[in-house]
Amino acid sequence: MTMFFDPFRELDRVAGTLLDRRESPRLMPMDVYRDGDHFVLSADLPGVDPGSVDVDVDGQLLTIRAERTPRSNEGVQWLTRERPSGQYLRQLTLGKDIDTEGISAHYENGVLSVMLPVLEKAKPRKIAVATTTDRAQVTA
């Protein structure tokens, strides 16, 4: 078997191992966009057990927690182990215009989707313009 040795990749791996603190939460990449009258948050959590995903709201603070447990096979000698395991944590402060009672979440194919509805009072609305049909005439 032929193997390619890249010294920079090896240095990167060693530095990552030395600086890696297993107790610190992992970063979960996410996108947030507005779609009509709600916001959608999509967070990548590949390989995470859906039972470990926890989404909660406390006031205006949205917290997402998850855990990816390492696969441990006894007697296995790892050649490389690049897939991160551990806890994931992300906290976001929600605006006052979010309906915190209507938040819902769905996890599918390693992506957590959180729907954040906008309060009715914060939705865009049309303002009617009143006109006067009878104008007051000024006489001089």
Side-chain angles (χ1 to χ4, degrees):
M1 175 163 86
T2 309
M3 295 188 75
F4 175 74
F5 178 73
D6 181 0
F8 296 109
R9 182 174 178 180
E10 198 59 25
L11 275 172
D12 218 20
R13 185 190 64 77
V14 170
T17 303
L18 292 174
L19 299 174
D20 184 21
R21 299 181 60 207
R22 292 286 173 195
E23 66 273 2
S24 66
R26 304 274 181 237
L27 178 67
M28 70 178 77
M30 69 176 199
D31 296 328
V32 179
Y33 60 92
R34 185 168 183 164
D35 184 14
D37 59 354
H38 61 277
F39 290 93
V40 179
L41 180 150
S42 298
D44 288 345
L45 295 169
V48 170
D49 175 25
S52 77
V53 178
D54 180 42
V55 179
D56 61 44
V57 177
D58 184 9
Q60 296 305 117
L61 183 67
L62 175 74
T63 303
I64 302 171
R65 287 185 184 88
E67 186 170 358
R68 182 174 180 190
T69 54
R71 187 176 194 184
S72 61
N73 297 349
E74 292 185 28
V76 172
Q77 179 183 7
W78 291 96
L79 300 176
T80 185
R81 196 167 193 175
E82 297 177 353
R83 297 170 57 209
S85 60
Q87 294 183 350
Y88 294 83
L89 173 69
R90 196 71 186 254
Q91 291 185 312
L92 301 162
T93 303
L94 303 175
K96 299 274 185 209
D97 295 336
I98 299 295
D99 178 10
T100 56
E101 296 295 319
I103 295 175
S104 63
H106 179 71
Y107 181 75
E108 184 178 356
N109 296 329
V111 178
L112 174 68
S113 297
V114 181
M115 306 298 277
L116 306 160
V118 175
L119 287 171
E120 196 63 39
K121 68 177 184 175
K123 292 179 184 176
R125 57 189 167 90
K126 201 76 154 148
I127 307 296
V129 178
T131 61
T132 5
T133 54
D134 298 324
R135 289 187 174 210
Q137 292 186 3
V138 179
T139 56

